Amino acid sequence: MSRGLRVGGHPVHAALSDFPMVLLLLWVALDAAALVVGSPLLWMLGRWALVGGTAAAVIAASAGFADWIALGRAGPRVLRTASAHLAVMLSVTCVAALDLVFRTSTLPTGAGRALHVVALALVAAGLLAGGWLGGHLVFHHGVGVAPGAGQEDPGH
């Protein structure tokens, strides 16, 4: 299996992927709470989680794209799963970026509120699906795992 982008022998994408996952889930939670209780403070905090999550997603996606390219001649199941992971996570990043572009400083009302709830639901579902696909690549297909990893060294 191809090694992909590494620093000190460790996969970069795996190290970076936690940041957008956590920040974007925090954004979903903060915005949902802001909409329920009508809190401008939670809305503002949600914006900052969205800014950080979107920026972190772009950085993690760059490393992930390098890994996707490095898959090269991986089997069709691996390529299909990796491509699905890429598509889902890029979709999540695009929805988050669009929300950031159209976000106002005040809580949305009417159709804007409904559209925002749909965006939050799409991002939450996308993070769940994309995270599952990424985990499937690592734990089922061994993508990014060094050969022999997890096996005890008989010399120790």
Side-chain angles (χ1 to χ4, degrees), residues 69-82:
I69 289 172
L71 285 174
R73 295 177 226 204
R77 287 184 181 168
V78 171
L79 290 175
R80 202 169 32 251
T81 303

Side-chain angles (χ1 to χ4, degrees), residues 110 113-114 117:
R113 182 183 184 102
V117 169

Side-chain angles (χ1 to χ4, degrees), residues 3 12 25 31 35 40 81 83-84 94 103 114-115 118 123 154:
R3 293 183 45 81
V12 173
L25 284 172
D31 274 13
L35 292 174
T81 303
S83 296
C94 288
R103 190 177 183 93
L115 188 58
V118 169
V123 166

Side-chain angles (χ1 to χ4, degrees), residues 5-155:
L5 186 60
R6 305 245 175 188
V7 171
H10 299 282
V12 173
H13 178 66
L16 295 175
S17 64
D18 290 344
F19 295 101
M21 293 286 283
V22 168
L23 287 169
L24 290 175
L25 284 172
L26 179 62
W27 161 57
V28 168
L30 287 168
D31 274 13
L35 292 174
V36 168
V37 299
S39 170
L41 174 62
L42 291 175
W43 184 252
M44 181 197 64
L45 293 172
R47 178 183 184 275
W48 288 111
L50 174 60
V51 167
T54 303
V58 169
I59 294 166
S62 300
F65 186 68
D67 288 354
W68 182 75
I69 289 172
L71 285 174
R73 295 177 226 204
R77 287 184 181 168
V78 171
L79 290 175
R80 202 169 32 251
T81 303
S83 296
H85 172 70
L86 175 89
V88 169
M89 296 313 273
L90 281 179
S91 297
V92 165
T93 303
C94 288
V95 170
L98 282 171
D99 192 87
L100 187 58
V101 167
F102 292 108
R103 190 177 183 93
T104 62
S105 60
T106 59
L107 289 161
T109 58
R113 182 183 184 102
L115 188 58
H116 190 70
V117 169
V118 169
L120 293 177
L122 286 173
V123 166
L127 289 171
L128 179 66
W132 183 87
L133 288 167
H136 189 71
L137 285 167
V138 172
F139 297 112
H140 183 73
H141 295 295
V143 172
V145 177
Q151 297 175 1
E152 291 210 22
D153 183 357

